[in-house]
Amino acid sequence: MVCENAVLRASATAGAQPVVLGDHVFVGPHATLLGCRAERCAYLATGATVLQEARLGAGAVVAVGALVHARAGVPAEFFVPPHTLAVGDPVRLLAPGDPAVPEAIAGVGFARTAFGVDAEWTDRIRRYERIAEVRVAEFGAHAGDGADEDADFGAHAEGGGDGNAASGAYADEVVGADPDDVEGSGTPGDGGDDAWRGDGAR
């Protein structure tokens, strides 16, 4: 379930980074998921953020306002408390204002992971300049995009198909993935071969 004003954004800037959600994942209002994976029954509360290539195990919780940084690995049923930072794999929790935060973030290699930009951590001007250029090019490539008037998104919302959509039990939702990469990731309730690919196909 994806609530109002949530952002789910895939990227191919630094390699294929789809957003992949298992069944019964809850994405709260104003949450942001960028090129990450959340296994079944993960819970992302209001304002939670999960960055590129991070992975949430089944039943993991990212509480209100918490941030799971790029490439972090959050184990199954792990709780990330409100307004904390989860970084690394194995995951490490840091509170706001902890003096270890800058060094922990520096070690993530975020600019490289998210944007394919290699710049020294201390060279902020050059790093942010290049990141802005990469992002403008990425978004600019979609300037002429329009809505797909032939897409049938209503079937899932109205409980079409095999009826599992009505209970929210259909398989992985994938944003920005190559369909060949997600086939076989599970059908509703039984882990079969026919994943919903996010394009109206099952």
Side-chain angles (χ1 to χ4, degrees), residues 22-102:
D23 65 274
H24 295 82
V25 168
F26 180 89
V27 180
H30 302 280
T32 300
L33 284 72
L34 305 177
C36 60
R37 175 179 293 270
E39 294 182 15
R40 66 182 316 269
C41 299
Y43 186 96
L44 295 96
T46 300
T49 300
V50 184
L51 297 181
Q52 288 87 345
E53 298 184 15
R55 299 169 315 283
L56 304 180
V61 175
V62 183
V64 173
L67 167 63
V68 178
H69 219 296
R71 298 188 300 132
V74 178
E77 300 188 35
F78 189 88
F79 181 77
V80 180
H83 305 290
T84 57
L85 168 67
V87 62
D89 189 7
V91 72
R92 175 182 174 199
L93 295 178
L94 296 169
D98 188 316
V101 166

Side-chain angles (χ1 to χ4, degrees), residues 101-122:
V101 166
E103 184 178 346
I105 293 175
V108 167
F110 177 69
R112 185 180 325 102
T113 301
F115 306 105
V117 172
D118 283 309
E120 292 296 324
W121 171 250
T122 53

